[in-house]
Amino acid sequence: MASSYDKIEEIARRRGLFWIGSEIYGGLSGFYDYAHLGSLIKARWEKEWRSFFLGLDDNFFEIQPAEIMHEKVWQASGHVESFVDPVVKCKKCGNIERADKLLEEQLKENFEGISLEELSNVIKNHNLRCIKCKGSLEEVGVLNLMFPITAGNDVRAYLRGETAQAAYVNFLREFECLRKKLPLGLAIVGKAFRNEISPRQLITRMREFTQAELQIFFDPDKIEEHPKFESVKDYRLLAMPVKNRPQAMEITCEEMTRHVPQFYVYHMARVQQFFLNVMKIPREAFFRFKELSDEEKAFYNKYHWDIEVKLESIGGFLEVGGVHYRTDHDLGAHQKFSKQDMSVFVGGKKFVPHVLELSFGVDRNIYALLELCYREDRERSTFAFPRNLSPFDCGLFPLVSKDGLDEKSEELKAFLRDAGFSVFYDNSGSIGRRYRRMDEIGVPASITVDHKTLEDRTVTIRDRDSMQQVRVVIAELPEILGKFLSGTAIESLGTPIK
Ligand code: GAP
């Protein structure tokens, strides 16, 4: 049986979600192009992300900084020195693999965060050989992931390895522009570049990918408080602390504050709500926060919990993001390197703000959505996307392309688009095939204009998931469609069609 990866890859290519970059020249490993449908879904996800996370505080804003940044930024941040992966090279053919991932694949255990020496020992003890030529392997070494670049003739720079640094180097200016208030949130939705040693598994490990990251600058003396904590204190987090592995547990936010500060816990709750309520990830079995041990944590984090989603293709959990308490690691380092004072004067005292980072890999979230929403039975295949994350709000079809139904449909298309809906219009083929096509690309509602429409100004709406249809009055369609897209069941929105 084809793996889920193969299946998603095949569907992605056939329906226009994504495919390997530079394909007509044989493809470029680690780079993918989003096609028309994938772009629409990604744009929807990003829109929901912005609306949810920028909505958390009136002092949170999006910025769009440059993707190429001065080499000093990355020297200061520690990426030039520490942003490395463990690698192992074949003595015979020279093939290089990421050592921990190689072991993970061969031995089905997690090796992230263990030392180079230990990795070398495991390779020796299990007599692991090159996956390409079966040659013997060298000692484990490291390779830096940053992409160096020369700007103009001689200015050394890097493609950014994370969006976060662009927020840090812009912090002071934004703080001044935004009336010197904390907390201040700077969000960036954009590209990050990492020269991954073994890019694989489609869009989940690429060399160019999209991140959605929110950097929250705050007063470290206020880490044990959040003004809205009351609203989440009884909310139950799904979390796997280090000492509980491999079991996740449910824990209220209030209980969680015994382990991590309140400011951090409040944002964990909001992140989980985004996944469960907006992305509609099924609760217990599919979502968890995973606490990282001291050895596993990123070099800049004091507290580090990954956000994970369970996927069949992985045979386990995929890291789709993280909640990172980066302290003053970054602003402090930029202060030292740039010789610019990064401290602020707030609440009667001078200090360098600390940073809580909410970090999301957009492509991994899209992949998780595709895999979790894909359904197939004898009759049809469907992407059961949440209605807010579908590529279009509705499909619109004249039952036949004659008798004035085409014209009426065109009129309705303009009416719906003016009302703010995205509409996929299709006037050819049997109506059954057109419905199937909407199911295949995950459009939640299909509206059909038929001969009755010309008599009484009504249309039918079909629900992708239940395949139920109701008849509604055109004048009420924007309101009805709005309710449907917000989650109202189709049966309650019109006269059912038997
Ligand atoms: N600013 C913090 C940061 O960059 P990270 O854990 O290195 O943290 C954040 O990256 C997220 O970006 C990850 O949780 C993952 O979802 C995504 N990501 C990281 N490397 C990736 C890659 N090579 N391809 C696709 N997504 C990746």
Side-chain angles (χ1 to χ4, degrees), residues 79 83 161-165 168 194 196 203-211 213 215 298 300 304 306-307 319-322 324 326 357 359-365:
H79 282 75
F83 202 44
E162 58 169 356
T163 68
Q165 294 303 323
Y168 306 145
R194 296 181 188 174
E196 295 280 349
I203 54 173
T204 67
R205 188 169 294 284
M206 295 190 283
R207 290 179 166 141
E208 174 185 335
F209 56 98
T210 305
Q211 292 185 319
E213 298 193 305
Q215 313 300 323
Y300 43 74
H304 185 159
D306 276 346
I307 305 161
E319 174 206 330
V320 293
H324 307 151
R326 297 179 70 137
E357 171 184 63
S359 172
F360 301 76
V362 177
D363 314 280
R364 288 194 188 178
N365 276 279

